[in-house]
Structures are given as C-alpha cells and as structure tokens.
Amino acid sequence: MGGLPGVVGGCRCRAGACPELPPQFPPFSGTAMEHVILLLLLLSVFFLCQAQALECREQAVSVSGTLRLLPEKPPRGWVKAEWRVTLDSGHKFRILTAEKNQADQFPKSPFSVRAGFQQNNLSLWISAVGTADSGVYWVEFEDTSGAVTASCFHVSVWEPVHPPHLEQNVLHREQGWCNLSLVCAVSSAANVSYSWTCSGAPLGDPELRSWVHLQVHDDDNHTICSCNVSNPVSWSVVSTDITAACRAEASGILQPYCLVKGLLCLLVLGSLGAAVAVTHILVQRWGPPSRGSHGSLGAG
C-alpha cells in the first residue's frame, strides 16, 4: 500500500520517503537582535569598568607617619563620600562617611580615632600608621543625581631603612692589583634596593646586589665606594676608601715578617751581650792566667 503524500520543506513527498531535515527556528526579529546587541554592549562596559576599578594608584608611607590620600579628579557636585579599606590581612572596614556641610561619621574601627576627612579637597588622612594598615583604600562619591564616582589607592607602609654597615674583604693580590669584595649589610633588609658608586660613578652592574667585587691598583689615589640602600620611603648611604683598605692589608702582610726579623736580631744581640758579660765576670773573679806557672810547666 502506498503512503499518503505530504509536504516537507516545501516539497511534496510520499510518507516514509522524505529526507530528514534539520529543525527550523524562526528568524530573529529586529527587536530581538537589538536586545542581544544592547546586552553585549552592556557586558563590555561592565567588564571595562571592572578592569579600570582594579587600577589603583600606588601610595607609600613611612611607619609612624601620616597617610594622605587625595583623589586625582574629585567630583564637584558631590553630596556624599564614603571611604573604605580592605587590609592585606583580609579585614574590611568602613573608615568614614561624610555628607556635604555635615559632621563626618566614624564607625568603630581601628581608624576611628586616627582618621580625618577634609571637605575642601575631599582627601583622607590617617595618623600614626603601621605596617598592619597596608591595603587597598577606596572612596565613593555620590552626586545629586545619584551617580557614583570612585577612586582607589594601593597603600604600602614601610619601615625606614636603618644605617647600613660596609664590610670589606681583600681576596688576593696579584702584580700590583688588589682584588676585594664589599658587602653592604643592613638590619631589617626586607624589600630594599641596593645601588653602588665608586668615585661618584655608578658601577653599571645590572643586578642590584648587596655585594660587589672590585679591583684597584696599588698606584691609584683615593677610591671612594658607596652603597646606597633604599625603599620607597627612605634611604641610607655608607662609604669607604678601598685604596686605603688594600694598602692597610698590604702593610699587614709585611708586619709579621718585620716582627720576626726584629725578634731574631734582638735574640742574636742578646746572646752576644750575654757572652761578653759572662766572660767579663769570669775574668774579674779568677784573674788572668799566671806566666810563671806556664813556664814551670814547660820546664818540667
């Protein structure tokens, strides 16, 4: 028995003989396409804003100093400002809330007695900062229309650099050249940078290390080498005359030889003096030999 004819894809065919076609979907209407494009644009703007929000301005401050955060482009028509922080420890705090021409509000936090807000330039200041205050600080300004403008700061609190100590070690001497090493030692040397100069000129070493190897000739005049230790908030310098160090080391090598030679001379002179003294004492005690006794002995 033949199947009933049907229509598939605009073609007439008999039952069971029509080819399988992919499912058909209604085409997007103009309104639906506009919604998709608008959604993509909104997502792009969202991710762009998120990327910009992660770009925080770097700010370094010394321990026990005062932190001052000043937004680059503060809004003119602001009505409300709110400063917050996420510390490196992970703790989050609202530092203060300020409304124009009203008293600032300071919620209970580690900053409540140390923070202040200046409405003339919209800056935040925090006194007596410590290393625990390092973190990300940001402020949100709201204007009369309800729009929000934000600024972000990445704050790092540093200990001042302590005065360094320069150790000099003469390695060896060869054909009038003195080879030595300098080591720049500083306490609390975490995250510090080193730079070296000799007679005012940088050494040109691309690796900023705490030590250097140097070579100086015996005929050179004073060669002053300096080590500069620094971090983002402070620096300290120590210097030494490496020519004088090499000459002092050379005199130190000759000194033991001269000392031994002097001791030997003193020993010889002392022995000669002792022999002369003993001979003189014996002569005085026993007297010179008698001539008569020598003659009688010869006659016998």
Side-chain angles (χ1 to χ4, degrees):
M1 295 180 60
L4 297 176
V7 179
V8 177
C11 300
R12 296 182 64 85
C13 59
R14 301 181 66 85
C18 293
E20 294 184 1
L21 297 178
Q24 300 292 316
F25 296 97
F28 282 109
S29 64
T31 304
M33 287 297 295
E34 291 175 359
H35 289 170
V36 171
I37 294 174
L38 180 60
L39 179 60
L40 292 176
L41 288 176
L42 291 176
L43 288 175
S44 300
V45 173
F46 172 77
F47 286 116
L48 179 60
C49 293
Q50 289 294 103
Q52 291 179 349
L54 295 177
E55 296 179 0
C56 297
R57 197 170 72 190
E58 294 292 333
Q59 184 98 11
V61 62
S62 180
V63 167
S64 300
T66 299
L67 172 65
R68 301 183 186 275
L69 301 178
L70 176 63
E72 290 184 352
K73 298 179 179 179
R76 295 180 180 179
W78 73 281
V79 295
K80 183 178 179 181
E82 191 170 80
W83 280 92
R84 294 179 177 272
V85 62
T86 299
L87 300 177
D88 289 346
S89 62
H91 295 92
K92 300 180 180 181
F93 299 99
R94 179 167 63 91
I95 302 174
L96 63 87
T97 299
E99 295 187 15
K100 200 166 188 178
N101 301 325
Q102 294 187 18
D104 302 333
Q105 302 174 16
F106 297 89
K108 186 177 181 181
S109 74
F111 307 94
S112 56
V113 296
R114 298 188 291 130
F117 180 69
Q118 294 182 340
Q119 294 199 8
N120 58 344
N121 58 7
L122 307 182
S123 65
L124 170 74
W125 58 266
I126 300 175
S127 62
V129 295
T131 55
D133 295 327
S134 299
V136 177
Y137 293 70
W138 74 92
V139 58
E140 293 180 348
F141 297 103
E142 183 180 341
D143 60 17
T144 54
S145 65
V148 175
T149 303
S151 296
C152 179
F153 302 85
H154 181 252
V155 175
S156 55
V157 184
W158 298 78
E159 290 276 358
V161 174
H162 297 279
H165 172 67
L166 200 57
E167 300 176 0
Q168 46 194 4
N169 300 302
V170 176
L171 302 177
H172 63 277
R173 307 179 62 87
E174 183 178 1
Q175 298 179 354
W177 289 93
C178 174
N179 297 274
L180 72 161
S181 67
L182 298 180
V183 179
C184 198
V186 59
S187 60
S188 302
N191 298 321
V192 296
S193 299
Y194 299 89
S195 61
W196 293 87
T197 58
C198 280
S199 298
L203 296 181
D205 192 346
E207 299 183 13
L208 302 180
R209 299 171 297 197
S210 61
W211 56 271
V212 290
H213 286 165
L214 300 171
Q215 189 179 61
V216 62
H217 198 270
D218 292 339
D219 297 333
D220 290 346
N221 293 324
H222 297 292
T223 303
I224 307 299
C225 290
S226 302
C227 170
N228 186 331
V229 185
S230 62
N231 63 18
V233 297
S234 64
W235 56 273
S236 186
V237 178
V238 62
S239 303
T240 187
D241 186 352
I242 62 173
T243 307
C246 287
R247 290 174 180 170
E249 192 271 344
S251 63
I253 293 177
L254 296 177
Q255 184 175 2
Y257 170 76
C258 295
L259 181 62
V260 172
K261 187 175 181 180
L263 290 176
L264 290 176
C265 292
L266 289 176
L267 182 61
V268 171
L269 291 176
S271 300
L272 291 176
V276 172
V278 170
T279 302
H280 181 70
I281 292 173
L282 291 177
V283 169
Q284 285 185 344
R285 176 173 296 183
W286 301 104
S290 173
R291 293 185 177 181
S293 60
H294 283 275
S296 61
L297 290 174

